[in-house]
Amino acid sequence: MTRLVFFCGHAGAGKTTLAKRLIGPLIARSGGAFCLLDKDTLYGAYSAAVMRALTGNPNDRDSPLYLQTLRDPEYAGLLDTARENLRLGVNVLVVGPLSRELREGRLFDRAWLGVDDDVSVHVVWVDLDEANAKARIVSRGNPNDAYKLAHWDEYRLRRFSPSAAAFPDLVRYDNTAPTAEDDERLLQTLLAHRC
């Protein structure tokens, strides 16, 4: 059995930090190999080069042009890489917003994911309210966030909070003030097999 874990949520929620904090304990407790696939790490330099060529702005990750041109191919490559690792017996943590894919139910659709029944799939939604997320985005000073901050009213319309009723299999993680107990509960959930 291999594990595919998605860490999803809006910008500034702390998805990557959480995944990096949990990967060591997941490896230790499961005894299996894990890889972390962060969309920004995998495609950051590539997207910067493409956006520089298209618009002159290598840091654009939120304009309509980026969303229509690069977003979907980036996610397709991310999932292709995840599937390849899973076939090799490597557990995978995937980090990215993935809000559209979640909203459309794709992350719970094994056929769309292209994974076998022996792959345990968990989808973690990292929650953080808008004000705290914006504060984190400002404090991290990543140039890729410039468009988002300059067009915050437009960006915030894309933010949504998945309801428990609509997504009963979604694992929620409140990242406002996480504790060691919160991490432990999440680890226990991720170590349990889910078909």
Side-chain angles (χ1 to χ4, degrees):
M1 175 192 72
T2 50
R3 294 174 173 84
L4 173 59
V5 182
F6 292 97
F7 287 86
C8 312
H10 298 296
K15 303 176 295 293
T16 302
T17 302
L18 177 61
K20 287 180 177 180
R21 192 166 68 234
L22 295 184
I23 194 167
L26 284 167
I27 292 169
R29 293 190 194 183
S30 71
F34 277 79
C35 71
L36 186 144
L37 303 178
D38 185 307
K39 185 181 82 69
D40 292 338
T41 302
L42 286 170
Y43 292 102
Y46 169 80
S47 296
V50 172
M51 294 310 290
R52 181 182 292 113
L54 292 176
T55 68
N57 180 0
N59 301 314
D60 177 0
R61 297 297 184 281
D62 285 286
S63 71
L65 179 64
Y66 169 82
L67 294 173
Q68 294 163 7
T69 306
L70 289 180
R71 183 198 183 279
D72 290 344
E74 284 182 357
Y75 281 125
L78 187 65
L79 291 173
D80 286 344
T81 307
R83 282 189 290 271
E84 189 167 355
N85 277 277
L86 291 166
R87 282 190 217 91
L88 294 170
V90 178
N91 301 291
V92 180
L93 306 183
V94 175
V95 179
L98 293 153
S99 54
R100 183 187 311 162
E101 291 73 14
L102 175 61
R103 191 177 308 137
E104 294 172 357
R106 294 180 186 172
L107 298 182
F108 302 102
D109 180 348
R110 286 183 172 279
W112 184 84
L113 290 172
V115 298
D116 295 330
D117 289 340
D118 64 343
V119 176
S120 179
V121 179
H122 287 89
V123 182
V124 179
W125 182 261
V126 183
D127 276 312
L128 191 66
D129 66 86
E130 181 182 338
N132 280 316
K134 186 174 183 181
R136 285 186 185 181
I137 291 169
V138 169
S139 70
R140 72 185 178 190
N142 186 330
N144 292 344
D145 294 323
Y147 185 95
K148 185 184 287 96
L149 290 170
H151 301 85
W152 190 261
D153 287 340
E154 174 188 323
Y155 166 72
R156 68 189 306 264
L157 295 176
R158 296 198 328 251
R159 288 179 53 93
F160 83 112
S161 181
S163 71
F167 303 97
D169 293 328
L170 185 65
V171 179
R172 305 295 291 254
Y173 184 89
D174 183 352
N175 208 20
T176 305
T179 66
E181 291 78 17
D182 295 328
D183 285 1
E184 180 58 32
R185 278 191 294 275
L186 182 55
L187 281 167
Q188 293 294 330
T189 298
L190 300 182
L191 289 167
H193 180 66
R194 175 180 285 173
C195 291

